[in-house]
Amino acid sequence: MTTQLSPALDVATLRADFPILGTLARGKPLVYLDNAGTSQKPRSVIEATTRYYESENANIHRGVHYLSERASELYEGTREAARRFFNARHAHEIVFVRGTTEGMNLVASGFAQAILRPGDEVLVSVMDHHSVLVPWQQACLRSGAKLVAIPVMDDGALDMAAFERLLNERTRAVALTWVSNALGTINPVRTICERAHARGVPVILDGAQAAPHLPVDVQSVGCDFFVCSGHKMLGPTGVGVLYGKESWLDRLPPYQTGGGMIDLVTIEHSTWARLPARFEAGTPDIAAVVAFRAALDYLEAVGLDAVAAHEHELVSYASERVREVKGLRIIGTTPNKAGVLSIVMDGAHPHDIGTILDQEGVAIRAGHHCCQPLMRRFNVPSTARASFYLYNTRDDVDALVAALHRVGEIFG
């Protein structure tokens, strides 16, 4: 089938920026559909990493020499780029972390220490990634608070009526996934923030699957915290962003201590640096942060509205085409979803589906996707997940469907 592109996105030109897409996998052209796991990197990000180590490498915020000043300038330049990208009010509301998991742990740990008390409640949801669920589960165990999960409807949408009922005077935080990595469901986060704030409750959003695929404006959405991972949005591994409103970040104790996060240290006592240094102990992955700037620049140039429209078109096309495959069922059918297609097939375990697709050069993810409570909700052990990004095409979908027919031939 001839490739059809979103009129707003020149995918053929974009694909030329990603050298890995020319790779052969098992002797066949690579069809990469594991973007919810990690995205591929454009040449500009790869070159930024190489350039840093070849001509800019030094530790930051310590030396008075040229290279240290240059590295510090680049590092803080990424912070300002991230502030602009997510429309934070201040650059010091952007904290660099290793990824979504560390960012969520930082916030949950701070709440356990400074905010939560016995009898308090924290709202999460059944669809949350373990990187949301487990840190808040542990925070509740340490503080004596109670974790309460919002249920999920049969089509994969969040049960908003249940959310309204569960939000009460004992709720001290709402921590939720913005976009489900396992279903593709896009949660109504602006409404959730409005409802929570009406009761004075802060909202912490897992944006790991939102930041690469949707325009994110933290002030417009109104969230109090937002976390995401650079490697899912064309950047390197080892870098992520925690956004927090200044008023909330100031209430949280340091997550780690030592290195550059201090103000004054005596043998008996220490005081902490101002934001954001207070939450950036030790030497970070400077090269990753510097190269992340190139990823942000790339996404800004493409435009997240165009990316979202393109992926919506792809997942709609894929949802129709996979229905041709006998015995296949889609898990997560709400119309308001991002580019994630989770499937199960009669007689074929998702791991078998993934293995057979791999032999056809099609890379997907099979497993519980770090969402075991969600898998139990839908009474499946796992799913096979195809996830799309800006460089995917209808031809990729066609290759996926052809490979799924191959699975049907083997297990049918």
Side-chain angles (χ1 to χ4, degrees):
M1 179 173 291
T2 303
T3 299
Q4 296 182 25
L5 307 178
S6 164
L9 209 60
D10 183 358
V11 180
T13 300
L14 294 181
R15 286 178 67 86
D17 294 332
F18 294 80
I20 202 169
L21 296 181
T23 299
L24 295 180
R26 314 294 183 192
K28 298 182 178 178
L30 171 68
V31 176
Y32 187 77
L33 300 176
D34 188 21
N35 295 288
T38 194
S39 69
Q40 297 302 340
K41 321 304 177 193
R43 190 171 281 103
S44 60
V45 171
I46 298 168
E47 290 175 349
T49 306
T50 302
R51 184 171 59 248
Y52 175 78
Y53 282 121
E54 286 186 345
S55 60
E56 297 159 339
N57 176 55
N59 213 329
I60 57 170
H61 302 150
R62 288 165 171 79
V64 294
H65 55 82
Y66 167 76
L67 280 180
S68 180
E69 290 181 357
R70 176 62 177 154
S72 301
E73 178 184 15
L74 292 168
Y75 188 88
E76 293 305 323
T78 302
R79 196 187 309 278
E80 171 56 26
R83 183 208 65 75
R84 184 178 66 249
F85 190 87
F86 296 117
N87 194 31
R89 187 179 302 275
H90 307 291
H92 58 252
E93 293 178 321
I94 300 294
V95 177
F96 290 122
V97 289
R98 288 183 297 166
T100 301
T101 301
E102 185 176 54
M104 193 61 73
N105 271 274
L106 189 159
V107 179
S109 176
F111 267 66
Q113 189 173 338
I115 309 293
L116 299 178
R117 297 290 179 267
D120 290 345
E121 294 183 354
V122 175
L123 285 188
V124 293
S125 86
V126 172
M127 78 170 70
D128 283 340
H129 191 282
H130 295 169
S131 292
V132 179
L133 187 58
V134 179
W136 287 98
Q137 181 186 82
Q138 296 304 305
C140 288
L141 287 172
R142 289 197 296 273
S143 65
K146 179 182 178 184
L147 196 67
V148 179
I150 307 163
V152 172
M153 311 283 277
D154 289 344
D155 65 355
L158 194 68
D159 187 339
M160 287 298 290
F163 166 68
E164 300 274 6
R165 290 195 304 272
L166 293 171
L167 185 68
N168 61 52
E169 67 278 3
R170 295 183 297 278
T171 308
R172 293 292 172 271
V174 175
L176 283 174
T177 296
W178 185 330
V179 177
S180 166
N181 69 310
L183 304 175
T185 302
I186 302 174
N187 286 320
V189 291
R190 186 169 303 173
T191 300
I192 288 169
C193 288
E194 290 172 356
R195 301 288 192 274
H197 289 167
R199 288 181 171 272
V201 176
V203 176
I204 302 95
L205 293 179
D206 162 17
Q209 301 298 334
H213 307 289
L214 307 170
V216 172
D217 183 331
V218 293
Q219 292 191 70
S220 175
V221 167
C223 58
D224 301 277
F225 296 93
F226 171 88
V227 293
C228 66
S229 298
H231 73 95
K232 296 180 191 292
M233 46 194 302
L234 309 181
T237 55
V239 59
V241 167
L242 160 64
Y243 156 78
K245 287 180 179 173
E246 181 178 14
S247 57
W248 273 109
L249 287 174
D250 278 338
R251 294 182 63 181
L252 300 187
Y255 178 57
Q256 296 177 315
T257 54
M261 56 74 66
I262 58 88
D263 175 32
L264 176 68
V265 175
T266 67
I267 294 298
E268 298 81 11
H269 185 67
S270 298
T271 59
W272 315 129
R274 302 178 66 176
L275 297 174
R278 186 150 58 92
F279 293 110
E280 295 183 359
T283 299
D285 191 338
I286 304 167
V289 171
V290 169
F292 183 46
R293 166 70 181 272
L296 294 174
D297 289 348
Y298 192 95
L299 287 173
E300 273 193 332
V302 172
L304 268 297
D305 284 318
V307 172
H310 175 67
E311 293 177 12
H312 181 75
E313 179 190 359
L314 277 183
V315 77
S316 299
Y317 177 64
S319 298
E320 286 302 314
R321 286 235 47 211
V322 297
R323 297 182 196 281
E324 302 168 7
V325 182
K326 187 178 178 182
L328 184 145
R329 180 162 60 97
I330 299 173
I331 306 295
T333 55
T334 180
N336 189 27
K337 62 184 291 184
V340 171
L341 190 69
S342 237
I343 60 170
V344 293
M345 288 179 68
D346 293 342
H349 191 282
H351 285 173
D352 293 328
I353 298 173
T355 300
I356 294 169
L357 264 58
D358 176 59
Q359 295 303 311
E360 302 298 320
V362 180
I364 64 161
R365 179 69 60 88
H368 53 64
H369 315 300
C370 299
C371 295
Q372 291 183 356
L374 184 66
M375 295 297 115
R376 283 192 285 274
R377 161 65 179 84
F378 285 98
N379 197 30
V380 295
S382 57
T383 71
R385 181 190 70 189
S387 50
F388 306 103
Y389 207 11
L390 54 93
Y391 37 67
N392 289 124
T393 67
R394 285 193 172 200
D395 286 343
D396 292 339
V397 174
D398 294 339
L400 168 69
V401 174
L404 288 172
H405 279 301
R406 177 69 179 143
V407 176
E409 291 169 3
I410 293 173
F411 288 94

